[in-house]
mmCIF file of all heavy atoms in Angstrom:
data_model
loop_
_atom_site.group_PDB
_atom_site.id
_atom_site.type_symbol
_atom_site.label_atom_id
_atom_site.label_comp_id
_atom_site.label_asym_id
_atom_site.label_seq_id
_atom_site.Cartn_x
_atom_site.Cartn_y
_atom_site.Cartn_z
ATOM 1 N N ASP A 260 27.952 -9.244 15.960
ATOM 2 C CA ASP A 260 26.655 -9.910 15.725
ATOM 3 C C ASP A 260 25.923 -9.775 17.166
ATOM 4 O O ASP A 260 26.288 -10.166 18.103
ATOM 5 C CB ASP A 260 26.936 -11.382 15.460
ATOM 6 C CG ASP A 260 25.647 -12.230 15.300
ATOM 7 O OD1 ASP A 260 24.653 -11.640 14.962
ATOM 8 O OD2 ASP A 260 25.710 -13.500 15.386
ATOM 9 N N ILE A 261 24.713 -9.090 17.027
ATOM 10 C CA ILE A 261 24.011 -8.792 18.176
ATOM 11 C C ILE A 261 22.853 -9.768 18.259
ATOM 12 O O ILE A 261 22.084 -9.960 17.367
ATOM 13 C CB ILE A 261 23.377 -7.343 18.063
ATOM 14 C CG1 ILE A 261 24.575 -6.303 17.848
ATOM 15 C CG2 ILE A 261 22.600 -6.998 19.310
ATOM 16 C CD1 ILE A 261 24.040 -4.965 17.667
ATOM 17 N N LYS A 262 22.721 -10.414 19.433
ATOM 18 C CA LYS A 262 21.652 -11.341 19.663
ATOM 19 C C LYS A 262 20.779 -10.982 20.951
ATOM 20 O O LYS A 262 21.425 -10.523 21.871
ATOM 21 C CB LYS A 262 22.197 -12.850 19.841
ATOM 22 C CG LYS A 262 22.995 -13.270 18.589
ATOM 23 C CD LYS A 262 23.499 -14.745 18.733
ATOM 24 C CE LYS A 262 24.182 -15.114 17.461
ATOM 25 N NZ LYS A 262 24.658 -16.540 17.622
ATOM 26 N N PRO A 263 19.550 -11.342 20.969
ATOM 27 C CA PRO A 263 18.771 -10.971 22.208
ATOM 28 C C PRO A 263 19.230 -11.845 23.414
ATOM 29 O O PRO A 263 19.167 -13.058 23.269
ATOM 30 C CB PRO A 263 17.363 -11.294 21.734
ATOM 31 C CG PRO A 263 17.452 -12.290 20.636
ATOM 32 C CD PRO A 263 18.737 -12.018 19.976
ATOM 33 N N GLY A 264 19.402 -11.223 24.578
ATOM 34 C CA GLY A 264 19.591 -11.955 25.773
ATOM 35 C C GLY A 264 18.322 -12.253 26.527
ATOM 36 O O GLY A 264 17.303 -11.877 26.142
ATOM 37 N N GLN A 265 18.499 -13.213 27.481
ATOM 38 C CA GLN A 265 17.354 -13.692 28.264
ATOM 39 C C GLN A 265 17.430 -13.357 29.787
ATOM 40 O O GLN A 265 17.045 -14.182 30.612
ATOM 41 C CB GLN A 265 17.124 -15.154 28.014
ATOM 42 C CG GLN A 265 16.442 -15.422 26.805
ATOM 43 C CD GLN A 265 14.941 -15.214 26.780
ATOM 44 O OE1 GLN A 265 14.295 -15.483 27.879
ATOM 45 N NE2 GLN A 265 14.280 -14.660 25.820
ATOM 46 N N GLY A 266 18.173 -12.326 30.085
ATOM 47 C CA GLY A 266 18.300 -11.968 31.512
ATOM 48 C C GLY A 266 19.708 -12.259 32.057
ATOM 49 O O GLY A 266 20.536 -12.936 31.397
ATOM 50 N N THR A 267 19.988 -11.874 33.314
ATOM 51 C CA THR A 267 21.313 -11.918 33.890
ATOM 52 C C THR A 267 21.908 -13.259 33.878
ATOM 53 O O THR A 267 22.989 -13.471 33.390
ATOM 54 C CB THR A 267 21.259 -11.356 35.289
ATOM 55 O OG1 THR A 267 20.956 -9.915 35.271
ATOM 56 C CG2 THR A 267 22.528 -11.554 36.002
ATOM 57 N N GLY A 268 21.219 -14.254 34.484
ATOM 58 C CA GLY A 268 21.876 -15.544 34.573
ATOM 59 C C GLY A 268 22.137 -16.169 33.266
ATOM 60 O O GLY A 268 23.189 -16.761 33.035
ATOM 61 N N SER A 269 21.165 -16.087 32.255
ATOM 62 C CA SER A 269 21.404 -16.529 30.988
ATOM 63 C C SER A 269 22.559 -15.914 30.187
ATOM 64 O O SER A 269 23.278 -16.564 29.549
ATOM 65 C CB SER A 269 20.139 -16.429 30.147
ATOM 66 O OG SER A 269 20.267 -16.949 28.892
ATOM 67 N N VAL A 270 22.714 -14.556 30.317
ATOM 68 C CA VAL A 270 23.779 -13.844 29.606
ATOM 69 C C VAL A 270 25.098 -14.296 30.224
ATOM 70 O O VAL A 270 26.021 -14.546 29.421
ATOM 71 C CB VAL A 270 23.506 -12.317 29.841
ATOM 72 C CG1 VAL A 270 24.856 -11.585 29.396
ATOM 73 C CG2 VAL A 270 22.290 -11.830 29.042
ATOM 74 N N ILE A 271 25.193 -14.441 31.552
ATOM 75 C CA ILE A 271 26.426 -14.913 32.181
ATOM 76 C C ILE A 271 26.771 -16.309 31.694
ATOM 77 O O ILE A 271 27.927 -16.547 31.184
ATOM 78 C CB ILE A 271 26.323 -14.956 33.682
ATOM 79 C CG1 ILE A 271 26.215 -13.521 34.257
ATOM 80 C CG2 ILE A 271 27.499 -15.672 34.267
ATOM 81 C CD1 ILE A 271 25.926 -13.553 35.762
ATOM 82 N N GLN A 272 25.814 -17.210 31.616
ATOM 83 C CA GLN A 272 26.117 -18.554 31.151
ATOM 84 C C GLN A 272 26.623 -18.656 29.741
ATOM 85 O O GLN A 272 27.461 -19.385 29.369
ATOM 86 C CB GLN A 272 24.834 -19.455 31.329
ATOM 87 C CG GLN A 272 24.449 -19.747 32.783
ATOM 88 C CD GLN A 272 23.046 -20.333 32.910
ATOM 89 O OE1 GLN A 272 22.493 -20.785 31.928
ATOM 90 N NE2 GLN A 272 22.517 -20.361 34.159
ATOM 91 N N THR A 273 25.895 -17.783 28.915
ATOM 92 C CA THR A 273 26.219 -17.796 27.506
ATOM 93 C C THR A 273 27.718 -17.317 27.239
ATOM 94 O O THR A 273 28.412 -17.771 26.475
ATOM 95 C CB THR A 273 25.254 -16.989 26.644
ATOM 96 O OG1 THR A 273 23.937 -17.514 26.947
ATOM 97 C CG2 THR A 273 25.541 -17.110 25.187
#
Side-chain angles (χ1 to χ4, degrees):
D260 182 20
I261 303 172
K262 297 182 178 181
Q265 280 282 321
T267 293
S269 178
V270 170
I271 292 173
Q272 291 170 11
T273 305

